[in-house]
Amino acid sequence: MHYWRKHMKLNLHKDTVKDVLKLSLPAVGEMILYTIIWVVDTMMVGHYGGNIAVSSVGLSTEFLSTYSNVLVGSGISVGITSIVARYVGANKIEKAEEYATIGFFVAIILAILGGLFFASLSYPLLVAVGADNTVAHIGASYMHIASIAIFFTMLINSLSATLRAYGNTKTPLFTAIVVNIINIVLDYGLIFGKLGLPQLGAVGSAIATSTAQFLGFIFIAFYFMKHSKIKLHFKYIKNLRLDRLKSLLHLSIPAMLQEGSYSISRLICNIFIVALGTIAFSANQITTTIESISFMPGWGFAVAATTLVGQKVGEKNYKKAKEYAKTSLFLGTITMVIFSVLFLFIPGPIFKLFISSNETEVIKLGTYCLMVAAIEQPFLALSMISGGILKGSGDTKTPFKVTLFTSWVIRFPLMFVAIFTFKLSVVYVWIITAIQWAIDGSLLCFLYKKKFSKLN
């Protein structure tokens, strides 16, 4: 604490910490719960079908989640939260509602296009990236059905973005609870043939996830219509103003490109890892699943920073905006360091939760990967929260430029050389990823502090 106070000139104010935690903790809980869907799917499918099943579902999920995250989860949703938060701060509620409505409309279009694409082209897509026939057949069966889940996930994301913009992070949390309960019960029943349900393996996992996401959407849509402070109005679509759509896309597209730069680079690198075999791919996939839980505190504090900084910038209260930014960054980084300690000292017991104990090669490789992932955690926090601060201030271009550089100039070429030239182990993939995040987080933190030093 003394170090941070001295070197970051950070004075923690009780009210500021309380405001940040009030928004961030429900957001952290929400994303942990959504991550648990992926975690539970991986655990149950792994215990049901071993590394082949994990590879099939994991590769399919990579495509679905990349599309959803790039275009809505970290695209349109970021634009919605950023612009609606600033209009809420400026007390211009009608404009906030107009942008929220346009954002939801865009999300519907993107969700329909994505659902149709993945339902129609799942098998050739998996074959094209090098999956063998067994993985491709299982993965295609999963993706056909899971494309329904991704449709409703994207709609939930866009509605949640509006709720977060005016400071409501609890309702998205309750939605995640509903989705999780349904998903876990149906996963157990449909994967293993329990609770009087048929044994469907990976297909059962897809049905469970799709059903859970559909019911989650019904829950949040009902709340939105009855209780939300910001309402959606069809008149804004009927009389769509192109200048408003342009303003939303002006913020959303750089956020999409940022997530796209990272996610597409990660997806291609995962396709590279397919060349190392199903054991290496399974070890990588399970490590990624475990690490995704550690992302959540950083993401939650990034949501708080985007909302609170956005509102204060809208009010032109730059002093308070800076205070919220520094507090979010401090709390988020400290929290993620805890995961570094866990990954470093007990990687084996954590990894064994996700796959049967007879998969010794997968466990050995994955344990090493998880230990390397410990290095990334504080830098991940710096990257996500500094990026969230910049987005709250209306700057979505800087995070995009930094991510473009670290994903394609650093991560991608190093990964290609490591796998195809030197034939190195998947552990080196994680070493390269740690280097990427160290540069990414440090750059974004420096650039956020430089920009905010000029705000008066």
Side-chain angles (χ1 to χ4, degrees):
M1 179 74 75
H2 175 72
Y3 176 88
W4 280 79
R5 286 180 181 273
K6 180 179 177 181
H7 293 274
M8 293 191 67
K9 298 179 181 178
L10 178 67
N11 293 311
L12 293 178
H13 299 289
K14 184 178 179 180
D15 290 342
T16 304
V17 171
K18 185 178 178 181
D19 289 342
V20 170
L21 292 178
K22 183 180 178 181
L23 284 185
S24 62
L25 291 181
V28 170
E30 176 200 353
M31 293 313 297
I32 286 175
L33 287 168
Y34 279 124
T35 302
I36 286 173
I37 294 174
W38 184 22
V39 170
V40 168
D41 286 351
T42 303
M43 288 175 69
M44 291 193 184
V45 168
H47 283 284
Y48 175 82
N51 71 78
I52 297 294
V54 170
S55 296
S56 303
V57 173
L59 189 57
S60 301
T61 302
E62 285 291 337
F63 280 106
L64 295 169
S65 62
T66 296
Y67 180 85
S68 174
N69 289 338
V70 169
L71 295 179
V72 175
S74 298
I76 289 297
S77 292
V78 169
I80 292 171
T81 299
S82 178
I83 202 164
V84 171
R86 278 181 282 131
Y87 278 119
V88 168
N91 201 29
K92 297 180 179 179
I93 302 303
E94 285 190 9
K95 278 192 175 181
E97 291 184 332
E98 184 173 3
Y99 280 108
T101 305
I102 294 170
F104 183 66
F105 176 67
V106 173
I108 290 174
I109 294 172
L110 294 174
I112 291 171
L113 293 175
L116 291 174
F117 176 81
F118 289 112
S120 305
L121 299 172
S122 52
Y123 182 78
L125 190 62
L126 293 170
V127 170
V129 300
D132 62 36
N133 283 333
T134 304
V135 170
H137 276 295
I138 296 173
S141 299
Y142 177 88
M143 199 185 292
H144 276 308
I145 300 167
S147 59
I148 299 170
I150 216 67
F151 173 84
F152 290 108
T153 298
M154 294 169 81
L155 301 190
I156 290 171
N157 283 340
S158 64
L159 293 179
S160 296
T162 296
L163 295 173
R164 294 186 197 108
Y166 72 79
N168 180 354
T169 54
K170 289 183 180 179
T171 301
L173 171 63
F174 294 144
T175 304
I177 292 171
V178 170
V179 172
N180 254 270
I181 292 171
I182 296 168
N183 183 73
I184 290 171
V185 171
L186 292 181
D187 254 353
Y188 177 69
L190 291 170
I191 291 173
F192 299 105
K194 304 293 185 180
L195 307 176
L197 297 172
Q199 180 179 317
L200 300 175
V203 171
S205 173
I207 294 171
T209 302
S210 298
T211 304
Q213 294 289 353
F214 168 70
L215 294 175
F217 171 71
I218 297 298
F219 176 85
I220 196 170
F222 179 80
Y223 175 88
F224 218 93
M225 290 186 294
K226 296 293 184 180
H227 305 293
S228 177
K229 293 179 182 178
I230 303 292
K231 303 291 186 184
L232 303 184
H233 298 285
F234 181 71
K235 65 181 181 180
Y236 295 127
I237 303 303
K238 184 179 178 181
N239 303 304
L240 181 64
R241 289 185 55 174
L242 294 181
D243 59 325
R244 298 280 197 260
L245 176 61
K246 184 178 178 181
S247 295
L248 179 64
L249 294 178
H250 180 74
L251 281 175
S252 300
I253 288 175
M256 289 180 188
L257 293 174
Q258 180 200 358
E259 181 63 26
S261 295
Y262 169 67
S263 293
I264 294 171
S265 168
R266 186 190 68 184
L267 178 61
I268 293 173
C269 290
N270 279 340
I271 292 169
F272 290 170
I273 296 168
V274 171
L276 297 176
T278 57
I279 290 174
F281 188 83
S282 293
N284 178 76
Q285 197 64 31
I286 292 171
T287 306
T288 302
T289 301
I290 295 169
E291 192 191 39
S292 66
I293 299 172
S294 73
F295 286 0
M296 298 308 105
W299 190 90
F301 285 105
V303 166
T306 300
T307 300
L308 293 169
V309 169
Q311 290 177 356
K312 294 307 168 185
V313 168
E315 294 174 12
K316 301 191 184 302
N317 185 349
Y318 299 122
K319 181 180 179 182
K320 196 67 176 177
K322 292 178 182 179
E323 194 176 311
Y324 280 133
K326 289 182 179 180
T327 303
S328 299
L329 193 63
F330 172 76
L331 295 175
T333 303
I334 291 297
T335 303
M336 288 188 67
V337 166
I338 295 171
F339 285 94
S340 290
V341 174
L342 294 175
F343 292 169
L344 192 60
F345 290 103
I346 54 168
I350 294 173
F351 202 89
K352 289 175 184 177
L353 294 172
F354 290 81
I355 198 163
S356 58
S357 57
N358 60 356
E359 297 277 1
T360 54
E361 291 184 66
V362 176
I363 292 169
K364 182 179 178 181
L365 265 180
T367 298
Y368 290 137
C369 292
L370 198 56
M371 291 175 74
V372 175
I375 302 168
E376 300 174 10
Q377 303 311 304
F379 296 107
L380 276 167
L382 291 178
S383 175
M384 287 187 284
I385 300 167
S386 297
I389 292 165
L390 289 167
K391 290 167 189 172
S393 71
D395 179 5
T396 54
K397 291 182 180 179
T398 297
F400 159 59
K401 291 175 182 177
V402 171
T403 302
L404 182 68
F405 171 72
T406 59
S407 294
W408 292 94
V409 177
I410 297 172
R411 179 190 179 114
F412 182 81
L414 288 177
M415 204 82 79
F416 183 88
V417 171
I419 293 173
F420 293 108
T421 303
F422 294 108
K423 313 292 184 184
L424 296 174
S425 160
V426 70
V427 176
Y428 287 88
V429 167
W430 284 86
I431 293 172
I432 292 166
T433 304
I435 293 169
Q436 176 202 357
W437 283 118
I439 296 170
D440 191 290
S442 299
L443 271 176
L444 277 173
C445 187
F446 170 78
L447 292 170
Y448 128 68
K449 290 169 75 176
K450 182 179 178 181
K451 176 174 181 173
F452 272 52
S453 67
K454 299 175 183 177
L455 291 179
N456 293 308

